[in-house]
Amino acid sequence: MKNKIFLISLIFLILSGCVGISSRGVFGTGVSVAFDPRSLGTQIDDSVMQKNLAARLALRNKSYILTVSTKVLDGKIFVTGKVDDPEEKLQITKLAWETKGARSVKNDITIKEDFNFQQSAKDLLITSQLRTALIFNKKIKATNYQIDTYKKKIFIYGISLTTEERKEVINEAKEILDVEDVIASIVLVEDLRIQKN
């Protein structure tokens, strides 16, 4: 009974926010509504899809709340995190594709390994260095990007105003010391379904 009450409360909390009212945007701390080139309706649709998927993942396994992260951008679903086995990764991909309105799913989930403090600290440092580089680069609107790093691999999600800005973001990521790979899921404004007028 306590688990059901906890789960219902959690789902309510997840579904209670609305990106259209918030200034935090679809990525939470990432894309700002003020700078987001998508229409308000698209932002709300993406937010609803993201919260719907997060709630379904939580119903499947409560640990996913902490271990799996989802982002939705113009109907494109991006999933990152860590799970125990490959079967879980496949099931999460299936759940993402079953989300109403999903146009594509990019699953960057990794299989868990023993915790390595040194590696985690290094990943955090890489993320911080790239975030700082994006903020100080005048050619980049840093608030439009979300960065995750795992085992020296940088995952970048966001909206780029131009092809040049997209290249600039990727180049900044590649210049960070010790980075082994850059996986960029950056959508160009012109590729969005609906844009602000």
Side-chain angles (χ1 to χ4, degrees):
M1 182 66 182
K2 288 181 181 180
N3 284 342
K4 285 185 180 182
I5 292 172
F6 170 76
L7 204 50
I8 291 170
S9 299
L10 178 66
I11 292 170
F12 176 75
L13 286 173
I14 290 171
L15 296 175
S16 65
C18 181
V19 75
I21 299 169
S22 171
S23 64
R24 293 180 62 181
V26 73
F27 289 129
T29 58
V31 179
S32 169
V33 171
F35 297 111
D36 196 328
R38 296 170 299 157
S39 70
L40 186 59
T42 301
Q43 292 177 52
I44 292 171
D45 289 346
D46 288 347
S47 178
V48 169
M49 286 175 62
Q50 183 172 331
K51 290 175 184 189
N52 179 357
L53 179 56
R56 289 171 48 232
L57 287 170
L59 284 172
R60 184 171 187 84
N61 186 334
K62 289 179 233 165
S63 71
Y64 291 162
I65 295 168
L66 300 174
T67 60
V68 177
S69 174
T70 61
K71 295 162 184 72
V72 179
L73 189 61
D74 197 39
K76 298 171 185 170
I77 299 175
F78 303 97
V79 186
T80 58
K82 300 173 194 172
V83 294
D84 292 325
D85 60 65
E87 181 63 30
E88 284 183 274
K89 181 176 180 176
L90 293 172
Q91 290 301 320
I92 291 170
T93 303
K94 183 178 182 289
L95 277 174
W97 272 113
E98 291 170 352
T99 303
K100 185 177 178 184
R103 296 176 60 210
S104 68
V105 174
K106 179 154 170 105
N107 188 339
D108 290 320
I109 288 180
T110 56
I111 308 305
K112 280 186 189 175
E113 298 170 14
D114 292 332
F115 180 76
N116 182 331
F117 178 78
Q118 185 177 3
Q119 183 61 54
S120 295
K122 187 66 173 172
D123 289 343
L124 183 61
L125 179 62
I126 289 171
T127 300
S128 300
Q129 288 173 331
L130 180 54
R131 173 61 60 201
T132 303
L134 295 183
I135 289 170
F136 285 107
N137 189 326
K138 300 287 186 212
K139 299 175 187 174
I140 297 171
K141 181 63 75 178
T143 57
N144 285 358
Y145 300 96
Q146 172 72 31
I147 304 163
D148 291 318
T149 305
Y150 179 70
K151 285 193 159 185
K152 299 182 182 180
K153 292 181 183 176
I154 300 177
F155 298 88
I156 307 170
Y157 308 96
I159 302 172
S160 179
L161 300 176
T162 64
T163 306
E164 292 75 29
E165 180 181 353
R166 177 197 233 164
K167 288 178 187 173
E168 196 74 28
V169 170
I170 294 169
N171 288 338
E172 288 284 3
K174 288 180 178 178
E175 289 181 18
I176 305 292
L177 186 64
D178 291 334
V179 170
E180 292 179 0
D181 196 11
V182 176
I183 297 100
S185 299
I186 301 173
V187 179
L188 291 173
V189 170
E190 61 195 44
D191 294 336
L192 294 175
R193 283 184 295 183
I194 302 169
Q195 302 173 23
K196 288 180 179 174
N197 294 328

